Amino acid sequence: MICGEHAGSLSGTGPAGQTPPHRRMRVLVDICHPAHVHFFRNITGLLQDRGHDILITSRQKEIALDLLDELKLEHRVLSAEGGGLLGLGQELLVRNRALMRIVREFRPAVMAAVGGIFVAQVGAVTRVPTVVFYDTENARLQNLLTYPFAGRVVAPRCYRAWLPRRNIRYDGYHELAYLHPSLFTPDRQVALANGLAPEGETYFLRVVAWQANHDVGERGWSPSLLADVVSYLADYGRVLISAEGPLPEMLEAYRYRGSPKAVHDVMAHCRLFIGESATMASESAVLGVPAIYAAHTGRGYTDEQEARYGLVRNVRRLEERAALAQAIDAILSEPFSVWAERRRRLLDDTIEVAPFAARCIEDHASSREREAC
């Protein structure tokens, strides 16, 4: 059992590349955000291939349900996203009760989630082992309500906040669980069918609604800043905006209207990503597309992707628009060939996260069984 150690060398396979067998078990995976769908889609596939029974519980949050349906992943909806502290608190009560009923019905051997507040709390009450994957340091309230109850917390090496003693570190990023080249090959024809410019460059922007628990007290781009960035980039090529909420009327024409499932094919063929989503900045980085993460709060993983690989630029002072313009100009002035080399260095330094995560889930359930004997 690995506890409080660095697991960068753990690839999810045993001697000679073989995966040691585990007994067949029931695994509950709780998905609360669209990014969690992507994170778990290959992990659940690996677990099913190994003979385990999977139950996915879901949440009405942006396009999460659409993605699950499009990927043909069966799921049970337990709650809708609450807004603000009061709404999130109400949802916590509703979802925990619903999850408790599911646990008593399904009787999982282990539960897993990203963030994990619901599975950690319900797991502590029902004595079901839990594995929480997380990478967001500034989610202080969520982490306070999760980490003390989680059986195991799994975080990337670049995570720089406090973790409980029962933790595993690994060399990688969440986004490698679904965008590692062993799992994903971008399709240009799919990208063209979903908004990529057939000629010239395409620039992908992302603005968020700031309703998640780790967003409480935060604010994002102003409409005027978004309009300025769009105007600046429109002179260079096509601009696509992915937005959680409504856009100013003058910018609706730029909205990304492609399939949620195809967004990574589109992003992989873009010249530049700019936005408030740290996840999408990291997705761009592991795809070899330069990214600007422009938000007041930082992330350990985007900081590492800037300092170690030069694939991300982090811009914190949004009120200083010159800083954002300088970051854009600096990236566009780089020769296109450098990004593939920087991506290669990133991939050489990191593990295949999906098999590693699947083994974490299996191993924690097995270790808890041994402890109970």
Side-chain angles (χ1 to χ4, degrees):
M1 178 169 57
I2 301 172
C3 183
E5 297 179 2
H6 191 275
S9 61
L10 180 58
S11 64
T13 59
Q18 307 225 334
T19 301
H22 288 75
R23 71 165 184 84
R24 181 173 179 173
M25 64 181 74
R26 294 187 180 99
V27 180
L28 187 151
V29 173
D30 192 37
I31 287 178
C32 296
H33 188 282
H36 305 174
V37 180
H38 293 303
F39 179 79
F40 277 114
R41 71 187 193 209
N42 294 301
I43 297 167
T44 55
L46 286 169
L47 292 170
Q48 286 178 318
D49 289 345
R50 295 175 191 174
H52 305 307
D53 297 321
I54 309 296
L55 174 63
I56 296 174
T57 51
S58 59
R59 178 184 188 228
Q60 293 180 13
K61 158 71 177 172
E62 202 193 346
I63 59 168
L65 304 187
D66 293 337
L67 272 173
L68 286 165
D69 292 339
E70 196 170 357
L71 292 166
K72 295 181 170 54
L73 296 172
E74 294 185 10
H75 58 100
R76 296 175 65 170
V77 183
L78 300 188
S79 69
E81 178 189 19
L85 280 175
L86 179 59
L88 291 168
Q90 291 172 335
E91 186 192 359
L92 178 63
L93 296 176
V94 169
R95 191 175 184 85
N96 276 359
R97 282 198 298 266
L99 186 58
M100 191 91 67
R101 288 194 296 269
I102 296 292
V103 168
R104 289 169 177 159
E105 171 191 324
F106 184 61
R107 293 182 298 168
V110 62
M111 295 191 289
V114 173
I117 185 171
F118 307 108
V119 298
Q121 294 188 358
V122 171
V125 173
T126 59
R127 301 183 66 80
V128 175
T130 54
V131 180
V132 170
F133 300 89
Y134 211 41
D135 60 0
T136 304
E137 298 92 343
N138 65 307
R140 296 181 183 88
L141 177 60
Q142 174 176 291
N143 296 344
L144 179 65
L145 296 172
T146 302
Y147 289 170
F149 304 102
R152 183 78 75 244
V153 177
V154 184
R157 66 189 175 198
C158 53
Y159 188 87
R160 59 193 180 201
W162 175 84
L163 286 171
R165 184 182 62 84
R166 306 173 306 279
N167 76 78
I168 301 173
R169 297 270 195 164
Y170 67 95
D171 294 334
Y173 311 107
H174 278 194
E175 296 70 34
L176 288 169
Y178 52 96
L179 295 179
H180 191 279
S182 66
L183 298 169
F184 176 72
T185 301
D187 188 321
R188 183 172 178 81
Q189 293 307 309
V190 170
L192 288 169
N194 286 273
L196 185 76
E199 296 181 4
E201 307 288 2
T202 301
Y203 301 88
F204 203 97
L205 274 58
R206 171 67 169 174
V207 289
V208 304
W210 300 97
Q211 292 295 314
N213 59 73
H214 58 260
D215 295 332
V216 174
E218 295 294 337
R219 67 190 191 282
W221 289 23
S222 67
S224 63
L225 175 60
L226 178 60
D228 284 351
V229 173
V230 170
S231 177
Y232 192 77
L233 292 173
D235 289 338
Y236 293 94
R238 178 174 294 182
V239 178
L240 299 175
I241 305 174
S242 169
E244 283 186 341
L247 287 170
E249 185 177 351
M250 63 180 291
L251 297 178
E252 271 295 336
Y254 296 96
R255 183 184 288 275
Y256 173 73
R257 302 186 188 278
S259 162
K261 184 180 176 182
V263 71
H264 297 120
D265 294 284
V266 176
M267 289 172 63
H269 290 94
C270 286
R271 179 66 177 88
L272 171 66
F273 168 86
I274 310 174
E276 302 175 290
S277 169
T279 295
M280 293 185 81
S282 184
E283 287 174 340
S284 297
V286 303
L287 288 168
V289 174
I292 297 172
Y293 174 45
H296 293 287
T297 55
R299 300 286 190 277
Y301 54 94
T302 60
D303 286 348
E304 179 176 275
Q305 289 162 349
E306 178 174 32
R308 197 162 181 162
Y309 307 111
L311 282 160
V312 174
R313 283 181 176 258
N314 295 278
V315 176
R316 302 278 188 268
R317 299 185 301 278
L318 300 183
E319 64 280 0
E320 297 180 16
R321 300 191 182 192
L324 189 52
Q326 288 167 5
I328 295 171
D329 290 343
I331 287 175
L332 296 184
S333 67
E334 292 265 24
F336 193 77
S337 59
V338 305
W339 308 112
E341 172 59 24
R342 292 176 184 181
R343 182 195 188 212
R344 186 196 61 76
R345 287 196 288 110
L346 181 151
L347 294 173
D348 286 347
D349 270 359
T350 53
I351 64 170
E352 294 190 40
V353 174
F356 163 77
R359 283 294 307 278
C360 283
I361 293 168
E362 288 180 317
D363 290 348
H364 184 52
S366 298
S367 68
R368 283 292 299 270
E369 279 191 345
R370 291 193 296 271
E371 290 170 3
C373 293

